[in-house]
Amino acid sequence: MTDQEPWLHAYLELGADLREAGLIGGISHQEVSNRLKELDIPVRTLSETNALRTKLAIAKHGDAIKESFLQTRNVAVTAAEVGVAKKVVETYLAQEVPDYQVLARAPRNVGKNFTTEELAASLKEAATTVPGNLSVEAYRRFISASPTLSTGRNRPGPQAMHLRFGSWNGALEAAGLPANPPAGPPKQYDNPITVLESVVACWQSLGHPPTVADYDKWQRGKEGHPSPAIAVRVLGSWNTALVRAWQVVHDHQLDQDDLDVAIPTGLGQPSPEFLPYSPADEKTTLLSAVQETQSALPELEKAVRNHAKLQNSLANLVKAHGRDPLSPGATEAKFDLAFRDDNDALVVAEIKSCTNDNLEGQLRLGLGQVLRYAHQLRQTHTVVRPVLVTQLEPPEDWRLLLTELGVASIHEAKLGPGLATVLQGC
């Protein structure tokens, strides 16, 4: 009996319980227990098995969980999209996404997604129906007469314009329409930027997301800070106010086409799309949920460390070629590494550690990721070149596939020559 037997592999590496391991090996769960004791391998409790399964699922699906949740802000939808249990999603988010519950209380409503161009087009259409400059009231009357867009979706209202552009005149200017002359002094706190800055200030002062009661107590007696009722009126609801504040507090922009969470133009300085390269941690450890002599965790730690070493090695070579390695900033594309080639094209790299046993799966995963990141970055960059960087050389059929798809390939044994070729635009 060796550790290569299917039942033992399932128990140690895949988080199977005694019954599941027994079914795989064609033996009873009691026999599994007896054989484990003979091998001096502790038998896990149910809670230990569940904890191990959660850790394994997080190690495998963590990036996908984060990407899906930040898009949907819905734990159940994320669990269904990624194919894991809700508990796995909640455990990962609690570790990796600060104050994720704030986002979860305002799930994405796809019916409220409008691009800046769509908002401007609605204003322009309304402006053709009235003489002179377009006022808020005139736009409301236009919506009453024409409540839907040509696509059948509800037309965005004045509040959407205020939140996206900071003011009504700001919206008109963005649409290329003449702004209205001031009709007297502006109403106090009508500016969504001012209101949102107050919510952010309260959050930062308390050190946690404020409830309505927290904010009410905090703002009393403080000049220049609106009441909770005004904050809700201007920002739509307390939950969406907190989602907007979350982006400022944690310096992470969500999809700004989503009207429920869009940050008004002019609020602070926008975060850069790219940041100077932040080296990966090559000493990563994974805390074991159980004290067992053999488990999947050491292998996971090795894989994470190999990934970090390969990523840092590539970053150092990029520097040696006089280029700046980049990490993701305020961009949805959470790539491993990016840099510019000799033609100033943006190169986005996905790093994949691998073994002979999991090479096929890692290649499939890495290809999907790098194609997705390249597609996202092409929304703001003219030329984006994807490259898949692997620990082992892909087999010939995979090299042909990558070439067909326009994805460059580099492997660790020829990291230097491979990078040189990519930098030349080949």
Side-chain angles (χ1 to χ4, degrees):
M1 182 163 50
T2 70
D3 61 0
Q4 296 302 311
E5 291 192 39
W7 69 267
L8 186 56
H9 172 78
Y11 186 81
L12 295 177
E13 308 297 331
L14 305 179
D17 60 23
L18 296 177
R19 182 187 62 83
E20 293 164 338
L23 290 174
I24 292 171
I27 55 179
S28 69
H29 73 276
Q30 184 59 53
E31 179 62 18
V32 172
S33 178
N34 293 338
R35 293 186 184 185
L36 289 173
K37 290 176 182 177
E38 291 175 3
L39 294 170
D40 291 327
I41 299 174
V43 177
R44 297 189 300 264
T45 65
L46 177 60
S47 62
E48 289 171 337
T49 293
N50 289 337
L52 178 58
R53 286 176 170 176
T54 297
K55 285 182 178 291
L56 293 172
I58 286 174
K60 183 177 181 180
H61 300 290
D63 289 345
I65 290 172
K66 187 173 184 179
E67 182 175 349
S68 174
F69 179 75
L70 291 179
Q71 280 289 324
T72 65
R73 305 193 302 279
N74 188 309
V75 170
V77 170
T78 294
E81 285 187 353
V82 179
V84 296
K86 286 178 59 178
K87 181 63 176 178
V88 172
V89 175
E90 291 168 342
T91 301
Y92 174 82
L93 295 176
Q95 297 170 356
E96 299 296 332
V97 179
D99 300 312
Y100 83 90
Q101 297 92 339
V102 167
L103 306 184
R105 288 194 289 269
R108 185 169 191 155
N109 181 349
V110 295
K112 292 187 177 182
N113 294 350
F114 294 95
T115 65
T116 298
E117 291 73 20
E118 287 174 321
L119 296 179
S122 186
L123 290 172
K124 291 177 181 179
E125 187 179 350
T128 64
T129 67
V130 298
N133 295 353
L134 181 65
S135 66
V136 174
E137 289 305 317
Y139 184 67
R140 286 198 178 100
R141 290 194 296 271
F142 170 72
I143 291 177
S144 296
S146 179
T148 59
L149 300 170
S150 59
T151 58
R153 299 167 64 199
N154 289 333
R155 193 177 293 277
Q159 186 185 45
M161 306 299 177
H162 278 90
L163 289 171
R164 178 65 61 84
F165 301 108
S167 68
W168 183 251
N169 277 348
L172 295 178
E173 291 171 359
L177 299 172
N180 295 314
K187 294 180 181 179
Q188 191 178 28
Y189 307 132
D190 263 4
N191 188 334
I193 296 176
T194 301
V195 177
L196 185 53
E197 286 176 337
S198 291
V199 178
V200 169
C202 174
W203 185 327
Q204 293 174 331
S205 175
L206 298 178
H208 60 78
T211 63
V212 172
D214 289 336
Y215 178 81
D216 183 45
K217 181 178 179 180
W218 174 85
Q219 65 87 32
R220 287 182 185 178
K222 289 184 173 66
E223 186 177 352
H225 296 290
S227 68
I230 292 176
V232 169
R233 173 177 63 81
V234 173
L235 298 178
S237 74
W238 190 250
N239 283 341
T240 56
L242 289 181
V243 174
R244 292 186 174 93
W246 181 93
Q247 297 173 78
V248 180
V249 171
H250 294 299
D251 192 27
H252 184 102
Q253 275 199 6
L254 301 173
D255 184 357
Q256 295 303 290
D257 288 344
D258 183 348
L259 294 185
D260 277 341
V261 304
I263 300 175
T265 302
L267 179 64
Q269 295 298 317
S271 299
E273 183 179 19
F274 302 120
L275 299 172
Y277 179 65
S278 177
D281 184 1
E282 298 180 19
K283 298 180 180 180
T284 297
T285 60
L286 298 173
L287 297 177
S288 176
V290 293
Q291 300 300 316
E292 51 191 6
T293 57
Q294 297 183 55
S295 76
L297 294 175
E299 287 302 316
L300 291 173
E301 285 182 353
K302 182 179 179 181
V304 172
R305 289 172 177 173
N306 286 341
H307 181 287
K309 290 176 181 178
L310 183 54
Q311 179 177 316
N312 289 338
S313 295
L314 180 61
N316 290 333
L317 284 173
V318 169
K319 290 180 183 177
H321 280 272
R323 301 291 181 180
D324 294 325
L326 304 169
S327 290
T331 173
E332 291 184 34
K334 300 307 177 185
F335 52 83
D336 289 324
L337 182 69
F339 50 89
R340 297 282 180 178
D341 68 13
D342 293 344
N343 300 314
D344 204 36
L346 181 65
V347 179
V348 56
E350 175 61 25
I351 314 295
K352 278 286 170 274
S353 63
C354 49
T355 65
N356 288 323
D357 291 335
N358 70 4
L359 178 58
E360 175 73 17
Q362 289 293 81
L363 287 170
R364 291 183 182 185
L365 180 61
L367 176 60
Q369 288 175 302
V370 78
L371 287 175
R372 172 63 171 160
Y373 298 150
H375 173 74
Q376 290 172 317
L377 291 169
R378 287 189 184 111
Q379 309 309 306
T380 52
H381 297 269
T382 303
V383 181
V384 179
R385 299 178 54 223
V387 57
L388 185 58
V389 184
T390 53
Q391 198 172 355
L392 300 179
E393 183 178 13
E396 183 179 1
D397 61 336
W398 264 97
R399 295 198 299 272
L400 291 173
L401 174 61
L402 294 172
T403 300
E404 287 180 11
L405 295 176
V407 179
S409 175
I410 304 175
H411 63 279
E412 188 173 32
K414 295 185 178 180
L415 197 60
L419 174 62
T421 299
V422 169
L423 288 174
Q424 293 168 9
C426 302

